Amino acid sequence: MDTVFRDVRLVDGTGGPSRRADVGLADGRVAVIAYEGESRPTGRRVVDAHGLALAPGFIDMHAHSDLALLRDPGHEAKAAQGVTLEVLGQDGLSYAPVDDGTLARIRTQITGWNGDGHDIDFTWRSVGGYLDRLDEGFGGEGIAVNAAYLVPQGTVRMLAVGWEDRPATDDETARMRQLVAEGLEQGAVGLSSGLTYTPGMYASDAELAELCRVVAAHGGYYCPHHRSYGAGALQAYAEMVALARGTGCALHLAHATLNFGVNAGRAPELLALLDAALADGVDISLDTYPYTPGCTTLVALLPSRAAEGGPDALLARLRDDAAAEEIRRVMEEEGADGCHGVPVDWDTVEISGVADPAHSPLVGRTVARAARERGEEPWALVRRLLIADRLGPTILQHVGHEDNVRTIMRHRVHTGGSDGILQGDKPHPRAYGTFPHYLGQYARDLGVLSLEECVAHLTSRPAARLRLPDRGLVREGFRADLVLFDPDTVAAGSTFEAPRTLPTGIPYVLIDGRFVMKDGRRTDVLAGRSVRRAPAG
């Protein structure tokens, strides 16, 4: 063996009982598993792992590391958590497929997620080109962790239709179908949408169905950030389930939660909807993060019609007094679609990051508090900040419910996704803490899930959704993407006060049998590559 882990508590990802074992690795794969009483393997490197659990590497089903993986070779935010695979291209907005004009607009629109990209050489325009760029990584060596990609429906609509709020023509729909098919053929695992983000939200259900049929034909899955997580949340979930029923497309519900006061205690209603569909044979899964606050861009809260025409058109409306007043009225009195149909409560909106450091004194304050400190109305502050920071601010939105979080994470189709935005001075701690927080807080301390169940939620279930034949389990012949952690001490170090603190209790992480983390420290190994869609059938 290349490496042998001696006397581990093997939590193999199936959800079944853990067992004591020795695990030997050779040529980047699990070569032998020897349980107590069986002949023990020997190896060139033997690690005494007594007291440690050995599990498959964790799969982050909802990540926003699209540029971070090309910017930071260490990528400790995820590597230190035991994440060995991230799924990118989320919420319908990412950097492939694009043309020059679309790329420029995308970079502005999602600066709050990924930075403006001034430090990235955008050598690609296609999905395949982006995946190739990930494989090249740093000096041809690769990237920190593996990455899969979803074709972003909003970006596709931008390419084929533009930024107008109108139905697509037949020719435009055909063009979108072609772009989605090309992305899947080049290795994407499915299609994402951001149906509270422009311009993807302008698509009708019929338009989405046309694209989902393409995804189904290629064996991928549809991953929507659906039309509301607030006032219309249950209707929005039902809309996505109906879409899956009608098209035969597998459905994976992104950051599946129920937020705002109107949804307190309503998680059982969501799960009843999903159980009925599952009983009928609809292929559904979901992901969540184990926290109550959400995180997005400040501009995302605005009414969608304000953004028609793209970022420059939105900035022009913000500079116009009459247009800006109408935006305020809709947000504060009616409830904008960008704020999920709920009138915005500026006391719940915390500024977590800005593009221009000149505005950093606002970070860590709610909009309401910052406005009081400056003697102005909240909307006046927001308007001024969006213009000055060119739509760059990110926010935390404190609108979740702990009972909903716990109820949903128990469901049999649940998987883990950080939704981790790495930008900003004070990012959401989920970016650095989701997976150890599941293991430490929700499995060990609260007992919401058993350790074995929790590991299955983070490993084999997402691997099954991604149709990965040799990942997600510790099994002989499978890839040696592994994490060793101490079940008694594993915990998220990240907090809302210190969000970039690394976790504790995760000394070893391996990708393809190579140590990405060793003795709790990041190595210089770049073992990550693109993980491309397996052919249908």
Side-chain angles (χ1 to χ4, degrees):
M1 301 292 108
D2 299 324
T3 302
V4 173
F5 291 104
R6 189 78 78 200
D7 195 26
V8 299
R9 177 182 174 183
L10 180 58
V11 186
D12 65 4
T14 63
S18 56
R19 298 175 63 184
R20 288 288 169 193
D22 291 353
V23 177
L25 315 180
D27 299 323
R29 294 186 178 265
V30 177
V32 62
I33 300 173
Y35 296 104
E36 286 184 301
E38 299 178 348
S39 179
R40 309 189 87 172
T42 59
R44 286 186 288 276
R45 178 192 294 113
V46 178
V47 177
D48 180 2
H50 181 73
L52 298 180
L54 186 149
F58 305 136
I59 298 175
D60 188 342
M61 286 295 287
H62 193 102
H64 287 285
S65 304
D66 305 48
L67 299 185
L69 280 168
L70 298 175
R71 177 182 291 128
D72 176 16
H75 200 45
E76 285 183 294
K78 296 301 177 68
Q81 292 186 62
V83 171
T84 57
L85 171 61
E86 299 184 275
V87 184
L88 312 176
Q90 299 287 349
D91 295 325
L93 293 166
S94 190
Y95 305 94
V98 292
D99 57 20
D100 291 352
T102 299
L103 176 60
R105 284 183 162 190
I106 285 288
R107 289 174 61 179
T108 299
Q109 185 178 11
I110 56 175
T111 290
W113 292 356
N114 299 302
D116 63 10
H118 70 274
D119 53 347
I120 301 294
D121 184 6
F122 289 92
T123 56
W124 69 87
R125 293 295 180 269
S126 67
V127 169
Y130 175 67
L131 297 176
D132 289 344
R133 180 68 183 85
L134 292 174
D135 287 337
E136 177 188 340
F138 296 88
E141 293 187 49
I143 49 179
V145 303
N146 296 311
Y149 188 75
L150 296 162
V151 179
Q153 171 258 332
T155 303
V156 165
R157 196 175 208 271
M158 210 181 302
L159 267 174
V161 181
W163 221 296
E164 292 76 38
D165 183 1
R166 62 170 176 80
T169 67
D170 289 346
D171 286 347
E172 289 165 344
T173 299
R175 175 63 174 146
M176 287 189 284
R177 287 174 54 90
Q178 177 188 10
L179 289 166
V180 172
E182 289 173 352
L184 293 163
E185 289 160 3
Q186 291 165 15
V189 295
L191 175 75
S192 77
S193 282
L195 298 178
T196 65
Y197 300 131
T198 56
M201 67 187 305
Y202 299 146
S204 66
D205 286 359
E207 181 179 312
L208 295 173
E210 288 292 318
L211 304 185
C212 283
R213 291 187 182 97
V214 175
V215 176
H218 285 80
Y221 68 93
Y222 180 46
C223 180
H225 164 129
H226 48 272
R227 297 190 193 275
S228 176
Y229 290 81
L234 288 170
Q235 299 94 311
Y237 281 114
E239 176 190 6
M240 296 298 100
V241 171
L243 190 63
R245 283 182 185 272
T247 63
C249 187
L251 177 66
H252 180 84
L253 296 166
H255 37 60
T257 188
L258 288 158
N259 291 332
F260 302 93
V262 294
N263 289 316
R266 301 191 73 183
E269 296 176 58
L270 168 61
L271 299 185
L273 169 69
L274 301 185
D275 285 337
L278 288 162
D280 290 341
V282 183
D283 185 358
I284 302 175
S285 57
L286 58 86
D287 66 69
T288 70
Y289 47 85
Y291 299 88
T292 52
C295 179
T296 188
T297 57
L298 179 58
V299 69
L301 303 185
L302 273 59
S304 61
R305 62 176 178 262
E308 187 174 0
D312 289 340
L314 172 56
L315 286 166
R317 292 185 182 102
L318 289 170
R319 293 186 183 101
D320 180 87
D321 289 344
E325 170 57 21
E326 176 61 12
I327 293 171
R328 183 212 62 78
R329 187 192 66 77
V330 172
M331 293 184 72
E332 295 185 349
E333 299 175 20
E334 292 183 3
D337 47 7
C339 199
H340 307 277
V342 177
V344 66
D345 178 356
W346 295 117
D347 280 306
T348 68
V349 179
E350 178 184 350
I351 299 165
S352 60
V354 290
D356 184 344
H359 308 300
S360 59
L362 295 169
V363 172
R365 286 169 166 76
T366 66
V367 168
R369 176 186 169 188
R372 284 194 300 270
E373 291 173 349
R374 286 155 180 78
E376 59 185 331
E377 292 299 314
W379 170 245
L381 172 69
V382 168
R383 177 188 177 190
R384 178 167 53 80
L385 180 59
L386 286 171
I387 293 169
D389 208 44
R390 288 195 57 80
L391 313 182
T394 52
I395 60 168
L396 303 181
Q397 201 168 12
H398 297 271
V399 292
H401 303 282
E402 181 67 19
D403 286 348
N404 285 347
V405 170
R406 297 189 192 189
T407 299
I408 293 169
M409 75 168 63
R410 292 188 184 101
H411 197 271
R412 66 187 185 279
V413 300
H414 169 266
T415 68
S418 71
D419 198 9
I421 294 174
L422 301 172
Q423 289 297 117
D425 296 321
K426 194 172 179 283
H428 196 302
R430 68 193 185 191
Y432 284 73
T434 287
F435 295 87
H437 201 49
Y438 266 121
L439 296 167
Q441 175 80 353
Y442 285 92
R444 181 189 62 234
D445 297 343
L446 298 176
V448 175
L449 298 167
S450 71
L451 178 67
E452 291 83 357
E453 289 172 327
C454 187
V455 167
H457 286 227
L458 308 180
T459 59
S460 61
R461 290 186 185 177
R465 165 54 71 219
L466 295 168
R467 299 177 64 238
L468 302 177
D470 58 355
R471 302 176 199 258
L473 296 170
V474 183
R475 183 170 289 173
E476 292 178 0
F478 274 47
R479 289 180 180 271
D481 292 357
L482 304 169
V483 56
L484 286 92
F485 62 93
D486 184 340
D488 295 329
T489 64
V490 63
S494 59
T495 64
F496 287 99
E497 293 71 32
R500 286 193 168 87
T501 307
L502 297 179
T504 57
I506 305 179
Y508 300 106
V509 181
L510 297 90
I511 295 178
D512 279 350
R514 302 170 65 193
F515 284 85
V516 174
M517 298 289 296
K518 189 175 183 181
D519 298 323
R521 297 179 181 276
R522 179 71 171 95
T523 70
D524 60 1
V525 168
L526 295 169
R529 299 291 186 274
S530 69
V531 174
R532 309 195 187 207
R533 182 189 59 85

